[in-house]
Amino acid sequence: MVAQRADWIADGAGRSAYGAGRSVFVDGASIDPGVAVVDAAFVGRRLFLAGDDGAIREGRDVVPLVPASKGRLHLAAMDTWLVVAEDGFGVRFVPIAGTRACHASRGIAPSFLSLRASFDAIAATGRTVFAAVAGRGLVEIEARDPSHPFIVRSIPYDEGVVALAASPGRLYALGESGLALLDLGPQGILRREVHPEVKGESIQLAGRTLRIAGGEMGPLTYRDVSSSPRLFEVSANDDFFSPQDISVTVGDTVRWTNVTGSLHNVVSCTPAQGGCGDETASESFTSGPATGFWVLDHTFTQAGLNPYVCQPHAGFMVGSVTVTGTASAPPGVPDGQTGSPMLVGKLAPDGSALSVSWDTTTCAGAADHEILYGYALGLPASTGGGYELTGARCSIGVASPFTWTGVPPAFAGSTGFVWWIVVATNGAATEGSWGQDSAGFEREGAGAGGSSGECDVAIKSLTNSCPP
């Protein structure tokens, strides 16, 4: 089945696990007779099922919870933790050891966040958990340290939710009205897009791929083909990548994080690399030699399949990134080469107030702009190198000129000047191109995908004329 519907493509069923009503869609899953499955989650290669009897099972083995559960359960996976939302109790974080088949132990000493409420659904991305709470909307929980989780904020949401999935900056909420895409910002929901044709009772997310089960047509696979570049997270655990296989679009960034501190790495496949067979990734990327805690960001620029391995565990710790779409040239930006150059006028004798003008026609449709600035010591040491920023002036608007008051002063050792770049944004979490340097390289910062890391930016767009 192939169909194009708004920003979604349905292309058939995937082999995945779901709890949907009284059915589990997974090969070989079993549960005690007479017990209905109400939710399911994979932690590594292990499938956990929540029954309507308030128990959690792995196959037929009951997972001990201390204290024993008393309410209805919802499950989500967070690295090597099983996240359990229990009505009337709160949210538990259960450590699951032995995610490889040769291990046998299981952690059973959970931490919990007290939340006297009824839950409709939960989802996790990285170390952030979102819960749909009956009558209270959405709750965001910070679990960077799962032993001490805390509530970050409540997000008003007036629609019923039966299932949630999450990626950085975006929630997928499945309810009676269909599937809602919720783009999140510091102040709550920035944009809501509803697809009423997508029906079901459970979601599994892997990059831009969503598998929906529980609808009248059975389990279906959908793809988010919206144009905004996205950031997707993959964790390196002991000893698996989660999610193991994801699908993204050209311009998207994948962030791998070693969450356990054990000796792991990420290396894109070549025929000479153990564990890869004869496969070669479309792009080359690596986190370097196997070490403890690390983070790797890679922005994909061409379509293709990208298998990768952890070198010390190449026989079984593998993953892949499937990239679709095509790349286009970086957009025009007010860099003096495309459009008119930036003009600066002094409004105060000491230079503490400036008038900054730029060619707004090169970024038609931009929702906002920002000024990214730094000192001489933060300029690239060589052509094509990265920029080290000191700070930013966020949300300066669309119109030119902008009156910049409080311009940061130079300091000793900076050779006496401050440099800056005017960059278009979508008014939320996406930056546009910074333009090209003298050698034709895209200027890049230290944030995700070469973004600035300032102004709550999560990703940098190189494939749109302006950030969408």
Side-chain angles (χ1 to χ4, degrees), residues 269-280 307 309 314 318:
C269 272
T270 66
Q273 171 59 52
C276 290
D278 294 326
E279 294 184 306
T280 299
V309 300
V318 299

Side-chain angles (χ1 to χ4, degrees), residues 137-392:
L138 304 170
V139 174
E140 181 178 341
I141 300 168
E142 172 61 61
R144 192 167 303 171
D145 178 1
S147 63
H148 295 89
F150 59 90
I151 295 176
V152 175
R153 58 176 171 167
S154 295
I155 303 172
Y157 191 68
D158 55 5
E159 296 183 22
V161 176
V162 298
L164 275 179
S167 63
R170 174 168 287 187
L171 284 179
Y172 301 84
L174 189 61
E176 293 182 359
S177 60
L179 182 66
L181 281 66
L182 310 175
D183 287 338
L184 303 180
Q187 306 304 318
I189 298 173
L190 295 173
R191 186 178 70 97
R192 179 185 305 187
E193 177 183 323
V194 179
H195 293 264
E197 75 280 7
V198 181
K199 301 291 187 179
E201 299 180 16
S202 64
I203 305 176
Q204 188 185 53
L205 178 66
R208 288 181 176 263
T209 298
L210 287 92
R211 296 184 176 95
I212 310 292
E216 293 181 357
M217 298 179 66
L220 293 174
T221 300
Y222 292 86
R223 179 173 174 78
D224 183 349
V225 295
S226 56
S227 60
S228 303
R230 304 299 311 280
L231 171 67
F232 297 102
E233 296 184 324
V234 177
S235 61
N237 303 271
D238 292 336
D239 287 321
F240 64 93
F241 293 106
S242 180
Q244 180 175 339
D245 305 298
I246 67 171
S247 175
V248 303
T249 292
V250 168
D252 287 343
T253 298
V254 176
R255 171 174 294 168
W256 289 269
T257 303
N258 184 341
V259 298
T260 67
S262 299
L263 296 182
H264 298 303
N265 67 349
V266 166
V267 177
S268 54
C269 272
T270 66
Q273 171 59 52
C276 290
D278 294 326
E279 294 184 306
T280 299
S282 297
E283 300 185 31
S284 177
F285 50 91
T286 180
S287 62
T291 59
F293 297 104
W294 48 260
V295 176
L296 168 66
D297 285 358
H298 181 77
T299 299
F300 287 88
T301 60
Q302 57 186 335
L305 178 63
N306 293 274
Y308 62 88
V309 300
C310 168
Q311 286 176 316
H313 310 105
F316 48 84
M317 191 170 174
V318 299
S320 69
V321 180
T322 300
V323 185
T324 62
T326 57
S328 58
V333 295
D335 60 0
Q337 298 180 28
T338 303
S340 302
M342 183 192 304
L343 300 176
V344 181
K346 185 186 292 186
L347 299 179
D350 63 354
S352 61
L354 302 175
S355 174
V356 181
S357 304
W358 64 91
D359 186 354
T360 60
T361 63
T362 60
C363 282
D368 210 340
H369 290 83
E370 61 193 18
I371 296 175
L372 309 175
Y373 64 84
Y375 295 111
L377 294 176
L379 291 171
S382 59
T383 302
Y387 289 71
E388 180 179 346
L389 276 71
T390 301

Side-chain angles (χ1 to χ4, degrees), residues 41-48 56-58 63-65 75-84 93-100 103-110 146 237-240 260:
F42 269 116
V43 180
R45 300 176 180 88
R46 295 166 60 175
L47 174 66
F48 294 89
I56 299 173
R57 292 170 174 81
E58 182 185 7
V63 177
L65 295 177
L75 305 181
M78 188 186 74
D79 303 331
T80 56
W81 298 76
L82 182 66
V83 186
V84 183
F93 294 82
V94 184
I96 301 297
T99 49
R100 270 199 289 157
H103 292 174
S105 61
R106 180 193 294 123
I108 60 173
N237 303 271
D238 292 336
D239 287 321
F240 64 93
T260 67

Side-chain angles (χ1 to χ4, degrees), residues 62-132:
V62 175
V63 177
L65 295 177
V66 180
S69 60
K70 297 180 180 179
R72 186 186 56 166
L73 304 178
H74 294 276
L75 305 181
M78 188 186 74
D79 303 331
T80 56
W81 298 76
L82 182 66
V83 186
V84 183
E86 179 183 345
D87 286 355
F89 179 79
V91 181
R92 307 181 192 232
F93 294 82
V94 184
I96 301 297
T99 49
R100 270 199 289 157
C102 61
H103 292 174
S105 61
R106 180 193 294 123
I108 60 173
S111 61
F112 72 93
L113 175 67
S114 180
L115 189 57
R116 305 293 180 181
S118 295
F119 298 90
D120 293 327
I122 59 169
T125 176
R127 289 294 178 95
T128 300
V129 175
F130 292 92

